[in-house]
Amino acid sequence: MGTSIKLAMMATAIAMTFTTAQAATLRVGMQDDPDALDPATSGTYAGRIVFSAMCDKLVDIDAKLEIVPQLATAWIWNAEGTEVTFTLRDGVKFQDGTPFDAAAVKFNIERMKSLKDSKRKGELSPVETVTVIDATHVSFKLKSAFAPLLAVLSDRAGMMVSPAAAAEGKEFSANPVCAGPFKFKERRARDVISLEKFDGYWNAAAIGYDDVQYLYIPDSTVRLSRLQAGDLEIAERIAPTDLGAVRGNKALALHTSPGLAVSHLMINVGNGEKGGALGKEPRLRQALELSIDRNVINKVAFAGEFSADNQMIPPSSIFYDKAHPAPARDIDKAKALIEEVGGDAPVVEITYENSLADGRVAQIIQSMAGEAGFQIELVPLETASAVERYLAGNFQAYIGNWSGRADPDPTLISFFGKEGSQNVNKYSNPEMDKALGEARATSDVEKRKALYGTATGIYLADLPTIPLYHPNWFYAARTDVSGITVYPDGLLRLTDVKPAK
């Protein structure tokens, strides 16, 4: 073999070694397996975590829940609050190389409003038309003033997908194409979602990993064990009972934030006989609430690390209604309400995703409600089966976990609006629709507070769902991962996250 050939082979080997050494993969342990990887049809918190790496939005939020630029760099409202014009970031490309521009924005909003299975229809229903002004300017005309629009666009409704990829006639979720820092590589069901860095990303210099793997590991103890062993770089939703193990391990760091999320017991109030007596009779729902001690749930299931509460909006929000504190547990009053209704002891079937947290909550409710005379039957299901039942409204009671939003509107409209995307229990109250509609139409904060106070009073009287607690977000990571910041929405943003060494 000639000297020149040997030198060439050595150079190739050195280059390959250098590339391998420099390549960095971020492995993230996930509690849930995301649903469809399409921002228009997705409905899970786990999906939002993956989207945060794959799909940039028109706007985002910061740690203080303020709206900040992302794909849109500026916006101007008209005096009536019925039209907003966005200035778009110039030179951005989707991961398939097609340009991001005003026409792409128009395509995305219209797609989310018209796609048959879109879960964004309700969120974007106030948008009447989208007009392309030029390549970097686009205008949204609203049917009426809609104060929460920017907050709505800071989540999936504002995520931009490639018009070319979405218009090809293929199932978009099987090969999603967005404008974020990481592009889709592969998905193995109930195993892993793999993404790779998109070199054409507009902010590529802030991205520190070459690949990201989201691994489905439903057991929180197993997630922590694999993190401790170095099989993961990050694990999400660390159980509060495991926080001591993280804090006491020098190889690990805990990243936390107060959350916007809520865990609640949804009652099937409008799907015919599926809700049983509990769905038909508000007094039984009141009795069930009075049989529960939220503080005990927080202490026993979550080591007191969460916030026991009776509202869908967390106490950290300026729209939280202090006039409606959680009622104390009152077994005697619960029994009296059950007796007032009459009949046999109420049977309540609680369906839930078979996670450690929801399992503990279900068992505690079963024990406490049993003391009041309820017969609680537990139906734990793996995530996909549980979500399928939930979306079909096929349950009597369901432990739901909502990751929350920066503005109250997407939460309250979704669950309590007649056409809400999460109103799977078919709750309907014209007074609720009126209050939420008026809150949407005013930008006056004090008026919105009063209207959301009215809405809170309505759902706490009707109890189509029984809020239980607000979780805080707990991520654990290896200390050789730097730049992690967890916001109140609980999403793992990968901008500025990189290997520390």
Side-chain angles (χ1 to χ4, degrees):
M1 184 180 294
T3 301
S4 59
I5 296 177
K6 289 181 179 179
L7 289 172
M9 292 178 65
M10 289 176 62
T12 300
I14 292 170
M16 291 177 64
T17 302
F18 179 78
T19 300
T20 302
Q22 293 300 305
T25 298
L26 185 71
R27 297 165 297 180
V28 182
M30 301 275 284
Q31 176 174 298
D32 301 321
D33 190 27
D35 58 348
L37 293 181
D38 183 340
T41 61
S42 169
T44 61
Y45 165 65
R48 293 175 70 215
I49 294 177
V50 176
F51 287 137
S52 69
M54 194 167 61
C55 302
D56 275 7
K57 301 161 288 191
L58 288 176
V59 295
D60 200 3
I61 61 167
D62 63 15
K64 296 181 180 180
L65 301 181
E66 298 291 336
I67 301 295
V68 296
Q70 197 166 68
L71 291 176
T73 59
W75 45 91
I76 299 175
W77 288 91
N78 69 354
E80 296 77 22
T82 57
E83 188 169 358
V84 59
T85 300
F86 292 96
T87 299
L88 305 179
R89 194 176 296 278
D90 196 14
V92 174
K93 291 186 180 298
F94 290 102
Q95 293 146 356
D96 59 2
T98 59
F100 165 76
D101 54 18
V105 175
K106 178 179 173 68
F107 170 87
N108 272 271
I109 299 303
E110 291 178 349
R111 176 178 184 262
M112 290 196 185
K113 284 171 61 67
S114 62
L115 194 67
K116 179 182 177 182
D117 297 324
S118 174
K119 292 185 172 66
R120 312 282 84 84
K121 291 179 182 178
E123 298 168 19
L124 292 170
S125 61
V127 179
E128 186 170 43
T129 59
V130 180
T131 302
V132 174
I133 298 172
D134 57 39
T136 58
H137 293 87
V138 62
S139 175
F140 288 27
K141 183 178 179 181
L142 310 181
K143 297 173 183 175
S144 60
F146 179 49
L149 178 65
L150 294 181
V152 167
L153 295 175
S154 73
D155 194 54
R156 282 169 292 208
M159 292 179 185
M160 298 289 105
V161 307
S162 165
E168 285 178 355
K170 300 176 182 177
E171 184 184 353
F172 179 83
S173 62
N175 189 26
V177 180
C178 295
F182 289 89
K183 60 183 180 180
F184 180 78
K185 187 175 181 181
E186 68 167 336
R187 178 175 193 172
R188 297 198 296 270
R190 299 182 59 75
D191 182 11
V192 64
I193 294 172
S194 297
L195 311 179
E196 59 185 349
K197 183 178 178 180
F198 173 46
D199 291 331
Y201 182 55
W202 63 269
N203 195 22
I207 306 304
Y209 282 87
D210 298 288
D211 301 277
V212 185
Q213 294 179 351
Y214 296 96
L215 296 106
Y216 172 54
I217 308 170
D219 190 307
S220 61
T221 302
V222 175
R223 286 200 302 280
L224 178 57
S225 296
R226 291 187 61 175
L227 182 71
Q228 291 168 326
D231 292 336
L232 301 172
E233 279 68 48
I234 300 175
E236 58 107 5
R237 278 182 280 183
I238 297 298
T241 49
D242 289 333
L243 295 179
V246 177
R247 290 169 175 146
N249 189 330
K250 293 182 179 179
L252 302 181
L254 188 64
H255 302 276
T256 71
S257 173
L260 301 170
V262 62
S263 181
H264 57 116
L265 184 64
M266 180 179 278
I267 313 299
N268 213 332
V269 296
N271 272 316
E273 297 299 319
K274 291 180 181 178
L278 190 69
K280 297 176 182 177
E281 179 51 73
R283 288 173 294 178
L284 288 180
R285 300 196 291 275
Q286 293 164 13
L288 181 58
E289 181 187 34
L290 289 170
S291 74
I292 296 169
D293 190 323
R294 293 174 169 88
N295 291 316
V296 168
I297 292 175
N298 184 33
K299 183 177 180 180
V300 174
F302 306 113
E305 295 278 357
F306 290 168
S307 298
D309 189 47
N310 68 327
Q311 297 184 34
M312 295 295 284
I313 304 302
S316 58
S317 170
I318 62 172
F319 296 103
Y320 181 78
D321 187 13
K322 296 179 181 178
H324 290 92
R329 190 186 191 215
D330 191 333
I331 290 294
D332 290 338
K333 188 173 181 180
K335 289 180 177 178
L337 285 168
I338 294 173
E339 185 176 351
E340 187 179 302
V341 173
D344 298 331
V347 176
V348 180
E349 183 182 87
I350 299 179
T351 302
Y352 58 95
E353 298 175 34
N354 194 20
S355 66
L356 183 61
D358 286 353
R360 285 173 174 165
V361 171
Q363 290 164 14
I364 294 169
I365 291 175
Q366 182 183 48
S367 175
M368 290 192 294
E371 294 178 24
F374 287 95
Q375 295 184 27
I376 305 294
E377 299 176 356
L378 303 184
V379 184
L381 298 173
E382 58 87 23
T383 299
S385 297
V387 171
E388 182 179 359
R389 277 203 186 188
Y390 168 76
L391 294 175
N394 185 20
F395 59 86
Q396 184 180 10
Y398 187 95
I399 295 179
N401 298 289
W402 176 251
S403 52
R405 302 294 185 268
D407 188 278
D409 180 84
T411 294
L412 299 182
I413 284 283
S414 292
F415 285 98
F416 304 128
K418 188 175 181 180
E419 303 298 328
S421 64
Q422 300 297 316
N423 191 355
V424 296
N425 58 343
K426 303 300 181 185
Y427 171 69
S428 179
N429 185 319
E431 291 301 313
M432 173 67 79
D433 291 331
K434 181 175 182 290
L436 295 180
E438 290 179 3
R440 280 186 153 190
T442 178
S443 59
D444 186 293
V445 172
E446 293 307 315
K447 289 181 180 178
R448 295 189 79 206
K449 284 181 180 179
L451 289 163
Y452 288 132
T454 298
T456 299
I458 293 171
Y459 74 73
L460 290 180
D462 292 347
L463 286 179
T465 193
I466 301 175
L468 301 171
Y469 62 89
H470 301 286
N472 294 320
W473 298 117
F474 299 114
Y475 278 79
R478 304 290 300 180
T479 53
D480 57 6
V481 179
S482 68
I484 297 174
T485 302
V486 182
Y487 292 174
D489 62 3
L491 303 185
L492 177 64
R493 290 167 171 80
L494 297 183
T495 301
D496 296 324
V497 176
K498 59 185 178 182
K501 295 180 181 179

